[in-house]
Amino acid sequence: MKFDEIFIGDKNKMTALSVCRAGDPEVLKPLIRIIEEKGVVCHLVDDRSSLESMLHSLGAGHMIGHAITIHHAAGDQEAAVRALELVASGEADVLMKGLVPTSILMKEVLKKEYGLIHTRLLSHVALFDMPNYHKAVLLSDAGMNIAPTLDQKGKIIDNALECAHRLGVKRPKVALLSAVDKVTDKMPSTTDAELLAHSGAKNFGFDSTIEGPLQFDVAISEDAARHKGSASEVAGDVDILIAPNIESGNILYKSLVYAAGARVASVITGAKMPIVLTSRADSAEDRYNSINLAMMISK
C-alpha cells in the first residue's frame, strides 16, 4: 500500500495526542490539520497564554475546550512531566515532542513510575513512500540505537514487525542490509544478518520472511537481484529494511528524502505508545505524516 491508502485509517478509532511544548506554529499547523481531517483530540502542554494566542492567530481558537485541551507548563521539565502523566493515565494514546529537548523528554519517558517501558528496546521506525516503488517501506533503525548488538537488532526487527502488522502487512518481507550479500568475518553486519536470518521468523513476534545479508539494490529491485544471481524471495517486494547501524540507517533515510523525493513518516517504537520525535528540519508534511503513522500504530 502507498501512503494515501495507509493513512485513510479507521474513522471510528478515536486517538488522543499529548504534545510536549506545543507552542510553535510549525508544531501546531499539522495538529490543526489532523484535528480537522481525523477528529482527534489534542492535549497541548506549554505556556497557556502563548498557546491561546498562537491558536487564535492560526484560526483554531474555536478548537480550545473542544478538540484541544491546554495544560499549562512554565518550563521544559514541567511540560515533560505533564505530557507523560497524560499518556500514563490513559488520557492520551500518542506522545509528541514539540519545542522540548529530546534528552529531557526521553529521560522522562524512561522513568519507571510511568510504566511505559518494560523489557523492550526503544527503536526508530520510518515509513517511506518512494516515487519509483510500488508500496511503502519501513526502515529501522535510523535515529535511536547507535551500534546495536545482535540481541538489540532482534528487538529492532520485532518492533518493526509489530509496526508493519498494525499497518496491515500480513507477512512482512524483511531485508537485513549490508554492503555485500555474502557473509564475511571482516564485516560484522554480515555475520549478524546471517544469524538473525537463520534464527527464523519463529523467534520473532510476528510471521515474516527474513533474509540477509542483502545489499540495498538487491532488496529493493528484482532486476538487480536477477543480474547479481540472487535467489532472494525478498528482492523487489521488501516491506522492512533493517540497517546494521545508525550511520548507514541515517544516511539511507536522508538520501531517500532529499535525493529520491520520498515522503516519510517516523516514530519511536518499543514503548506502550508511539512517540513522534520531529526535528526542526522536518517539513510540515513530514510532521503530518508522522502523526498519522503514530495514530495508525497506537493500540
Side-chain angles (χ1 to χ4, degrees), residues 51-79:
L51 271 176
E52 288 177 345
S53 176
M54 287 182 196
L55 287 167
H56 281 290
S57 69
L58 293 169
H62 64 286
M63 295 180 178
I64 300 172
H66 301 284
I68 291 175
T69 300
I70 295 175
H71 303 264
H72 178 74
D76 290 340
Q77 184 59 41
E78 184 181 345

Side-chain angles (χ1 to χ4, degrees), residues 145-162:
N145 296 284
I146 297 172
T149 64
L150 183 66
D151 179 65
Q152 289 173 330
K153 287 180 181 179
K155 292 176 180 177
I156 287 169
I157 294 170
D158 251 339
N159 285 348
L161 286 172
E162 181 175 9

Side-chain angles (χ1 to χ4, degrees), residues 9 16 22 24 53-54 75 90 92 110 116 138-140 152 186 206 214 227 261 265:
D24 180 353
S53 176
M54 287 182 196
L110 294 171
L116 300 175
L138 291 166
L139 168 66
S140 192
Q152 289 173 330
K186 295 180 180 179
F206 299 91
L214 285 180
H227 287 310

Side-chain angles (χ1 to χ4, degrees), residues 60-110:
H62 64 286
M63 295 180 178
I64 300 172
H66 301 284
I68 291 175
T69 300
I70 295 175
H71 303 264
H72 178 74
D76 290 340
Q77 184 59 41
E78 184 181 345
V81 170
R82 185 65 187 120
L84 265 296
E85 287 174 345
L86 289 164
V87 174
S89 67
E91 294 177 73
D93 312 292
V94 172
L95 177 65
M96 180 175 173
K97 171 185 174 290
L99 288 182
V100 61
T102 299
S103 58
I104 291 177
L105 184 62
M106 295 309 295
K107 184 177 180 180
E108 202 66 28
V109 168
L110 294 171

Side-chain angles (χ1 to χ4, degrees), residues 27-201:
V27 173
L28 293 174
K29 287 175 185 176
L31 291 171
I32 293 168
R33 181 181 170 190
I34 286 283
I35 291 170
E36 292 174 339
E37 294 181 359
K38 302 290 180 71
V40 302
V41 172
C42 288
H43 294 273
L44 307 183
V45 184
D46 211 327
D47 179 78
R48 182 179 299 277
S49 62
S50 295
L51 271 176
E52 288 177 345
S53 176
M54 287 182 196
L55 287 167
H56 281 290
S57 69
L58 293 169
H62 64 286
M63 295 180 178
I64 300 172
H66 301 284
I68 291 175
T69 300
I70 295 175
H71 303 264
H72 178 74
D76 290 340
Q77 184 59 41
E78 184 181 345
V81 170
R82 185 65 187 120
L84 265 296
E85 287 174 345
L86 289 164
V87 174
S89 67
E91 294 177 73
D93 312 292
V94 172
L95 177 65
M96 180 175 173
K97 171 185 174 290
L99 288 182
V100 61
T102 299
S103 58
I104 291 177
L105 184 62
M106 295 309 295
K107 184 177 180 180
E108 202 66 28
V109 168
L110 294 171
K111 289 185 178 178
K112 292 182 179 179
E113 57 257 39
Y114 297 111
L116 300 175
I117 300 169
H118 296 297
T119 59
R120 296 185 64 182
L121 179 78
L122 292 181
S123 59
H124 182 273
V125 176
L127 181 70
F128 290 94
D129 197 354
M130 294 178 280
N132 58 349
Y133 195 65
H134 62 284
K135 60 181 174 180
V137 178
L138 291 166
L139 168 66
S140 192
D141 181 321
M144 180 62 67
N145 296 284
I146 297 172
T149 64
L150 183 66
D151 179 65
Q152 289 173 330
K153 287 180 181 179
K155 292 176 180 177
I156 287 169
I157 294 170
D158 251 339
N159 285 348
L161 286 172
E162 181 175 9
C163 184
H165 176 75
R166 292 187 179 279
L167 293 174
V169 183
K170 301 301 182 185
R171 185 184 171 89
K173 295 179 180 179
V174 183
L176 309 177
L177 298 178
S178 187
V180 296
D181 293 334
K182 297 185 182 298
V183 178
T184 169
D185 291 338
K186 295 180 180 179
M187 201 172 292
S189 63
T190 65
T191 56
D192 281 0
E194 181 187 41
L195 289 169
L196 289 164
H198 284 180
S199 70

